[in-house]
């Protein structure tokens, strides 16, 4: 093998080539094959190798060329559910975004997500058994030790890059619904596991999980882990700051009334965010407008038949305040806002029934002397307790307070700076129900009601993989709802039906897809 030098007449640069002999099968003769190995430095006369040649010489072997992986063994595996998830990954851009953010591990993340969805409520210890019978992106087993290493390798910068990519795929005018749930934990080493107000009345310490969903797409695209003792109302400002970091501008948000505070609403105005937020009826301005409109609200002309709810809109002036540290003052202005008042007769009946049950439980606690800490204010508000040596304990209801509470059964209110149509506002506000249902999927179907992790990095990584699985679950669920499939199928039943489709591999013959029934073909089309 000889090195040949050749000078480009236009540029004057000299290049070096390997002159390698090889056998030309088409012409059945021996010829020489030239391979560029670099250019010649005019000052030193040394060869500066090309990148490809440098990699080849450093590794001691030529770089592997990309191409199809040859089939070396017979294999028959379930493929139907995997095919569905592969298409969803392409449709939502999840696969492309994961590949861009996690180039070395995205296939493992997808495989674990597929397993979590198909094997409902099963522990990860069953992954080895599942993967032997299923086609999946990684194509090999991921033992427990390897999965722990995967979870720990997921970095914050990669996670935020993924959120940014997914957020930019969403419809610009789409409202984003935010809600928070609690995840209980037995761990004593996780820093954010704290005692807090548990929404499921679990006595275990917890972390809080904030989840953001697209109202129209029905898909989650952002979550944030919070300490267990942080309340909902404290998260809005931080969320707006992270929107700014990720480049989201003029985001439309739907917030539950647990996020309401005057400061939060001021901050939404300051950041030019369009919002719909639930507000409590005991706020002075809400109470005043409700008393003024209580009778008119129940007129037939204000009935919105889709939800069986009466609704009206009142334009109000919001007393906006903004602290300006650079000027040392507080800017005070009025901003346009819409207060939307509603009355639902069915809700009134439910409120009455729920309150009766609650009051009965309070009365029973007082009679038995077994008080619950979180109910202490209501014991004093709705009952008067006297105790004498002769007559013992006597519990007397405060009927006036009970009647006062009953006045607002069935009523509720929303505040918005954009939507003034009561029907549209209610429809958008109800979109937050998809977040609550997603929490159910996360806790029940994806087996995350209790966190069994031993470190912060493992928890962060596992949460991210669970979140990826939740995107796929949410996509399937929305498609099933849009196509009316829930009338005939459960989600698990549908996935099991598709998962029976096989793929057969044979050396020298390629891959053969198993039989697909008309029922299965119809399901794929619907999804």
């Amino acid at each position: 093998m000889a090195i040949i030098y050749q000078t480009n007449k236009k540029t004057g640069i000299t290049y070096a080539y390997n002159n390698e002999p090889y056998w030309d099968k088409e012409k059945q003769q021996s010829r020489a094959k030239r391979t560029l190995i670099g250019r010649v430095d005019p000052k030193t006369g040394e060869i500066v190798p090309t990148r490809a040649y440098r990699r080849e010489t450093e590794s001691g072997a030529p770089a592997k060329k990309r191409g199809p992986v040859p089939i070396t063994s017979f294999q028959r595996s379930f493929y139907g559910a995997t095919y569905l998830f592969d298409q969803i990954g392409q449709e939502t851009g999840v696969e492309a975004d994961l590949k861009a953010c996690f180039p070395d591990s995205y296939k493992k993340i997808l495989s674990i997500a597929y397993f979590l969805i198909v094997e409902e409520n099963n522990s990860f210890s069953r992954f080895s058994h599942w993967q032997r019978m299923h086609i999946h992106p990684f194509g090999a087993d991921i033992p427990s030790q390897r999965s722990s290493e995967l979870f720990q390798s997921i970095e914050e910068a990669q996670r935020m890059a993924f959120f940014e990519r997914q957020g930019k795929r969403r419809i610009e005018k789409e409202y984003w619904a935010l809600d928070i749930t609690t995840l209980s934990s037995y761990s004593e080493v996780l820093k954010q596991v704290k005692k807090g107000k548990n929404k499921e009345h679990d006595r275990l310490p917890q972390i809080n999980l904030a989840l953001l969903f697209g109202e129209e797409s029905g898909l989650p695209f952002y979550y944030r882990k919070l300490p267990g003792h942080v309340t909902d109302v404290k998260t809005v400002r931080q969320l707006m700051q992270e929107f700014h970091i990720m480049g989201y501008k003029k985001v439309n948000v739907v917030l539950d009334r647990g996020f309401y505070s005057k400061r939060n609403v001021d901050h939404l105005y300051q950041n030019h965010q369009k919002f719909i937020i639930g507000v409590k009826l005991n706020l002075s301005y809400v109470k005043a407008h409700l008393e003024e409109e209580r009778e008119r609200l129940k007129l037939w002309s204000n009935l919105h038949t889709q939800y069986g709810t009466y609704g009206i809109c009142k334009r109000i002036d919001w007393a906006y305040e903004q602290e300006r540290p650079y000027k040392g003052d507080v800017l005070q202005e009025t901003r346009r806002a819409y207060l939307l008042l509603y009355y639902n007769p069915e809700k009134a009946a439910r409120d009455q029934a729920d309150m009766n049950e609650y009051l009965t439980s309070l009365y029973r606690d007082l009679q038995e002397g077994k008080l619950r800490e979180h109910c202490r204010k209501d014991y004093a508000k709705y009952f008067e307790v006297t105790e004498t040596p002769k007559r013992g304990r006597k519990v007397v209801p405060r009927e006036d307070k009970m009647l006062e509470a009953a006045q607002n059964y069935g009523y509720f209110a929303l505040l918005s700076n954009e939507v003034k149509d009561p029907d549209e506002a209610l429809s958008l506000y109800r979109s937050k129900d998809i977040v609550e249902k997603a929490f159910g999927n996360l806790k029940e179907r994806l087996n995350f009601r209790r966190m069994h992790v031993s470190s912060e990095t493992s928890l962060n990584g596992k949460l991210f993989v669970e979140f990826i699985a939740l995107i796929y679950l949410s996509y399937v669920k929305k498609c099933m709802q849009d196509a009316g499939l829930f009338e005939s199928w459960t989600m698990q039943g549908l996935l099991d039906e598709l998962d029976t489709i096989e793929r057969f591999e044979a050396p020298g013959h390629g891959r053969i897809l198993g039989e697909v029934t008309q029922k299965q073909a119809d399901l794929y089309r619907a999804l």
Side-chain angles (χ1 to χ4, degrees), residues 257-313:
R257 68 181 189 176
F259 294 98
Y260 176 87
S261 73
K262 184 181 185 306
R263 186 180 180 186
N264 280 346
V265 174
D266 284 341
H267 199 70
L268 290 166
Y269 273 110
Q270 183 180 341
N271 283 272
H272 309 290
Q273 316 280 174
K274 302 301 182 183
F275 64 84
I276 298 173
I277 187 169
V279 292
K280 294 180 179 180
L281 298 180
N282 60 2
L283 295 169
S284 58
Y285 71 94
V286 179
K287 188 186 296 185
H289 286 292
L290 179 59
E291 288 306 317
E292 182 182 321
E293 301 291 344
R294 193 180 289 270
E295 296 303 318
R296 187 172 77 88
L297 179 57
K298 295 182 182 181
L299 296 176
W300 178 85
S301 57
N302 295 322
L303 176 64
H304 301 278
T305 54
Q306 181 181 358
Y307 299 110
T309 301
Y310 300 87
I312 60 172
C313 174

Side-chain angles (χ1 to χ4, degrees), residues 285-520:
Y285 71 94
V286 179
K287 188 186 296 185
H289 286 292
L290 179 59
E291 288 306 317
E292 182 182 321
E293 301 291 344
R294 193 180 289 270
E295 296 303 318
R296 187 172 77 88
L297 179 57
K298 295 182 182 181
L299 296 176
W300 178 85
S301 57
N302 295 322
L303 176 64
H304 301 278
T305 54
Q306 181 181 358
Y307 299 110
T309 301
Y310 300 87
I312 60 172
C313 174
K314 294 207 70 177
R315 187 193 182 286
I316 64 172
D317 291 326
W318 178 261
Y320 173 73
E321 295 181 338
Q322 179 186 344
E323 294 182 7
R324 298 190 294 187
Y326 55 92
K327 287 191 175 182
D329 66 355
V330 177
L331 174 66
Q332 293 183 325
E333 296 178 341
T334 58
R335 297 289 175 90
R336 181 183 61 191
Y338 301 106
L339 179 64
L340 301 121
L341 302 171
Y342 298 92
Y343 174 74
N344 184 296
E346 291 183 5
K347 183 179 184 301
R350 289 197 305 272
D351 289 348
Q352 181 71 69
D354 291 343
M355 190 60 168
N356 288 343
E357 185 178 343
Y358 180 60
L359 292 173
T360 301
S361 70
L362 295 180
Y363 180 78
R364 190 182 300 113
D365 291 344
L366 291 169
Q367 287 279 41
E368 297 173 358
K370 299 177 181 178
L371 306 187
R372 291 168 285 172
E373 187 63 33
H374 63 280
C375 296
R376 287 195 176 276
K377 288 185 179 179
D378 288 341
Y379 291 132
K381 181 178 181 180
Y382 295 113
F383 295 95
E384 184 177 355
V385 181
T386 58
E387 198 162 355
T388 61
K390 289 186 177 180
R391 297 183 179 180
R393 174 172 296 188
K394 187 177 181 181
V395 181
V396 180
R398 296 180 182 268
E399 300 286 1
D400 56 332
K401 296 295 182 183
M402 294 179 183
L403 288 172
E404 185 181 325
Q407 286 183 344
N408 288 332
Y409 289 164
Y411 292 92
F412 59 99
L414 304 176
L415 182 71
S416 177
N417 62 345
E418 181 185 46
V419 183
K420 55 185 176 181
D421 178 73
D423 204 28
E424 181 185 356
L426 184 57
S427 177
L428 289 167
Y429 186 70
R430 288 198 170 187
S431 68
K432 71 180 181 59
D433 292 345
I434 63 176
V435 189
E436 296 174 4
K437 292 172 182 176
F439 286 145
N441 282 331
L442 190 67
K443 293 178 179 180
E444 299 297 340
R445 187 176 182 87
L446 299 181
N447 199 23
F448 214 77
R449 184 170 291 279
R450 300 284 187 272
M451 295 177 294
H452 300 282
V453 290
S454 57
S455 70
E456 296 285 348
T457 53
S458 290
L459 173 60
N460 292 338
K462 189 175 182 183
L463 264 177
F464 181 77
V465 177
E466 296 265 0
F467 176 78
I468 298 300
L470 185 60
I471 296 176
Y472 285 82
L473 263 179
S474 302
Y475 185 97
V476 174
K477 186 170 186 177
K478 187 173 190 305
C479 286
M480 290 183 68
Q481 288 173 334
D482 291 347
L485 293 177
F486 278 114
E487 296 177 7
S488 307
W489 297 90
T490 63
M491 186 182 295
Q492 188 62 44
L494 181 144
L495 293 175
D496 287 344
E497 174 67 28
L498 297 181
D499 203 34
T500 60
I501 299 171
E502 293 181 329
R503 194 178 80 180
F504 178 61
E505 299 180 356
H509 295 278
R511 298 180 173 91
I512 302 171
L513 186 67
E515 298 83 357
V516 179
T517 67
Q518 185 61 48
K519 181 191 296 184
Q520 291 167 333

